[in-house]
Amino acid sequence: MSRISIGVVGAGQIGRKHLKKIAEHPDFELAGIADVNRDAVAAQYPQARVFANHLALLDEARPQAVIIASPNQAHADIGIECARRGVDILVEKPVTDTLEAAGQLITETRRSGIKTLVGHHRRHHEQVQKLKALLGEGNIGALVAVSAIWAVYKPDDYFVAGPWRTQPGAGPVLINLIHEIDFLRFTVGEIVAVGAVASNRQRHFAVEDTAAALLEFANGAIGTVIASDSAVTPWSVEQGTGESIEFPFSGESGYRFMGSHGSLEFPTLVRWSQPDGARSWTRPVLSQRLFATTIDPYAAQLNHFRDIIRGTIQSIETVEDGARTLIATLAITEAAETGARIDLLERYEALADGTGQFLPKLRKTP
Ligand SMILES: NC(=O)c1ccc[n+]([C@@H]2O[C@H](COP(=O)([O-])OP(=O)(O)OC[C@H]3O[C@@H](n4cnc5c(N)ncnc54)[C@H](O)[C@@H]3O)[C@@H](O)[C@H]2O)c1
């Protein structure tokens, strides 16, 4: 089978990771890179064709597929130009920076019929897929509640290197918590309403450093999730799985899934239950360690992208699905600002109407 010709737009932190995975992959060949810093990127990748913008990449190198790893604000425009040329896309998270832009991108991708994948790489972890299967088959009974923590300490130079990270829209809710929201939507089911509080008490930036959200799921389960970039803890999925060397392994679980017949910790997959089906707080609750391998989720994501391009499987996360994650995440910011509980169903319905004009229909819960 012939190799898939692929381009990468944006050769920054995550774009370079994608370029490495492409170079290691037998089924892809790099058609070219587009980056506004063309000369610097060309010096880093002397073997590659490097273009100053995505249009030149698309029209001169004519890739079959593109990974969009530019800043969020450019995702929609780049994705739309790909769609107009029939080029399949893997677009980094968040799918776009605004819901309006997401609507425009969805409209164009539907019109063109291209394949789309959103880069919430966590869905590709074997532990995540195993957890999803266990919850789906009722391994711990009916899910009652979930408690999730993603809390790390980002060093001061992270904010000095990127002052935009201190401004609204770039806090841990939209940068980090969005991964937790996507992960919970994938493993538990749809989130139908949110409430939230946020604080900037540690760093005093214009943006939050810590947020706590209340989640209501379509299946009746409820949940809490905390995200912070200002606390020293071993509880993040990166640390718990050891998915990449820059975040040292802790092997600890930041998630607890509580069911009517048992509970599960994630990512360690420790399962708690009572022997012989007895259920009582006066009886012991015993643990059993389940197992799933830690794999490189970025390599698995690229395998998945190959398979959806070749038409052998459906996308694990289309741009529509990524937009639902964005709707829920933006609503958490809104809930923290307004103090309101926000119902998401109407927003999802507006997204699904196919016109791409859903933004004006959005209404805040009074
Ligand atoms: N999946 C993940 O875990 C993950 C991790 C990090 C970043 N991201 C996402 O990836 C995207 C990029 O983030 P990053 O941290 O790599 O940013 P970055 O600032 O390190 O890199 C962005 C690159 O894009 C280039 N660029 C800027 N505007 C461009 C344009 N219009 N066309 C082409 N190139 C352009 C910049 O020169 C830079 O090289 C963001 O959407 C971010 O949210 C995802």
Side-chain angles (χ1 to χ4, degrees), residues 307-352:
D307 294 342
I308 64 171
I309 292 167
R310 288 185 173 163
T312 57
I313 54 171
Q314 296 290 313
S315 174
I316 200 169
E317 184 160 12
T318 62
V319 289
E320 285 95 330
D321 200 0
R324 282 179 165 235
T325 291
L326 183 64
I327 284 174
T329 308
L330 290 173
I332 287 171
T333 302
E334 187 183 326
E337 284 167 7
T338 61
R341 169 189 175 278
I342 298 177
D343 194 330
L344 302 180
L345 286 180
E346 206 178 44
R347 299 180 182 201
Y348 295 148
E349 280 164 20
L351 176 75

Side-chain angles (χ1 to χ4, degrees), residues 3-4 6-8 15-32 66-67 298 302 305:
R3 296 164 87 200
I4 297 165
I6 190 166
V8 174
R16 289 194 296 273
K17 189 173 281 219
H18 288 302
L19 284 162
K20 183 166 183 297
K21 302 300 165 196
I22 289 168
E24 292 166 357
H25 205 295
D27 298 329
F28 285 95
E29 64 184 345
L30 183 66
V66 156
I67 296 180
Y298 295 98
L302 199 53
F305 192 36

Side-chain angles (χ1 to χ4, degrees), residues 123 146 148 177-195 213-225 255 321 323-332 341-349:
R123 292 192 181 203
V146 54
L177 183 70
I178 190 167
H179 278 302
E180 312 311 306
I181 295 303
D182 190 74
F183 165 75
L184 288 168
R185 289 189 54 245
F186 182 60
T187 54
V188 174
E190 197 52 276
I191 298 169
V192 295
V194 300
L214 293 173
L215 309 175
E216 297 171 41
F217 294 90
N219 63 10
I222 57 175
T224 61
V225 53
Y255 278 79
D321 200 0
R324 282 179 165 235
T325 291
L326 183 64
I327 284 174
T329 308
L330 290 173
I332 287 171
R341 169 189 175 278
I342 298 177
D343 194 330
L344 302 180
L345 286 180
E346 206 178 44
R347 299 180 182 201
Y348 295 148
E349 280 164 20

